[in-house]
Amino acid sequence: MRTNFLALVLFVSLVSFASLSSTARADERPFAAPFVGIDWRVNGLADHVSHGPGFQLGALLFRGHLKVGIAGFSRPGPLNPATFRVALEETTYRGQSTLDLRSDGGVVGVFVAPRFTMPGLPWLDVELPILVGQGAFGFYLHGEDRETPDGRRVSEWENELLDGKDASFGIAVDVGLRLSFRTPASWLRPYVGVHYTNVIGYDAFVRSDYSGFGGVAGVEVGGF
């Protein structure tokens, strides 16, 4: 499934460059302009569905045909009350041999995104964002379990119970396919899209992988 998605992104990229090279009309948009986008993502990371805010910030280059900048998204623990169950090895915590942990973390990095207008659909733009940066996600005690039995900081207990692997980080690679829709206000565009995120090298006690597909919806403003 991952291979099929990457093949689709590559195919659309080739179509985009072909579309740009065949465009003969003069474009009145500025060569470079700023933009910012905010969105909400639903992610199937770590074999679990979660959600959280995301952003893009940067510049539109080549009269809107290329976006560059920084981007990221997060998985806030307070907004995702679902838990991950883990069995303790040769120890207990507050009389428990299993724990239900919450998770939080995020991804941030630099990105590029070729953009083109769909032939015959002047109101619809397609972009292919590719982000490379860092991803970090961890697992933590919550509720009454944050009251440690000996008064030590909860982070010390989390580190001890999970063999020093209560969190992990790695190189994040996030590729996507987004559709943005032109509105009567030229500076405003809503968008939707799909993404695949892979945190290379991730290895925590609870999960050895924090990768998966996700969907996004948001709005951006800028010199489109």
Side-chain angles (χ1 to χ4, degrees):
M1 188 173 183
R2 300 181 184 180
T3 302
N4 292 339
F5 182 74
L6 294 175
L8 174 61
V9 171
L10 177 60
F11 173 75
V12 177
S13 297
L14 293 175
V15 173
S16 69
F17 285 116
S19 174
L20 292 178
S21 63
S22 64
T23 301
R25 67 178 180 83
D27 199 325
E28 297 179 354
R29 288 175 291 183
F31 180 82
F35 80 93
V36 61
I38 55 174
D39 52 57
W40 206 263
R41 290 180 62 148
V42 176
N43 294 298
L45 301 174
D47 299 320
H48 183 79
V49 177
S50 60
H51 61 95
F55 76 96
Q56 284 188 345
L57 173 66
L60 290 152
L61 304 178
F62 304 108
R63 296 183 170 84
H65 295 312
L66 181 69
K67 293 169 71 175
V68 298
I70 60 173
F73 66 89
S74 66
R75 182 198 192 280
L79 298 182
N80 291 275
T83 58
F84 297 78
R85 174 156 291 189
V86 59
L88 300 178
E89 298 179 354
E90 301 180 358
T91 188
T92 61
Y93 179 74
R94 290 169 52 101
Q96 306 170 79
S97 59
T98 61
L99 296 174
D100 291 317
L101 306 175
R102 288 188 178 179
S103 177
D104 62 9
V107 167
V108 66
V110 297
F111 83 98
V112 296
R115 302 177 72 248
F116 68 98
T117 300
M118 286 292 290
L121 299 174
W123 48 270
L124 178 62
D125 283 353
V126 177
E127 68 178 60
L128 302 164
I130 302 173
L131 176 149
V132 178
Q134 186 177 74
F137 295 91
F139 300 87
Y140 63 94
L141 296 165
H142 69 99
E144 294 182 354
D145 283 342
R146 296 192 69 81
E147 298 179 8
T148 60
D150 58 0
R152 284 192 294 161
R153 289 188 298 181
V154 67
S155 59
E156 295 181 24
W157 270 99
E158 290 166 346
N159 189 60
E160 181 177 315
L161 292 169
L162 303 178
D163 292 336
K165 299 170 64 178
D166 53 313
S168 182
F169 64 92
I171 298 173
V173 178
D174 182 86
V175 295
L177 173 64
R178 293 189 176 191
L179 306 177
S180 66
F181 307 93
R182 301 188 184 189
T183 67
S186 61
W187 48 269
L188 176 67
R189 293 192 179 185
Y191 58 86
V192 296
V194 293
H195 286 254
Y196 177 75
T197 305
N198 186 15
V199 183
I200 301 170
Y202 187 90
D203 185 19
F205 187 90
V206 183
R207 287 288 191 276
S208 60
D209 179 80
Y210 220 107
S211 304
F213 286 92
V216 62
V219 62
E220 55 188 357
V221 296
F224 303 105

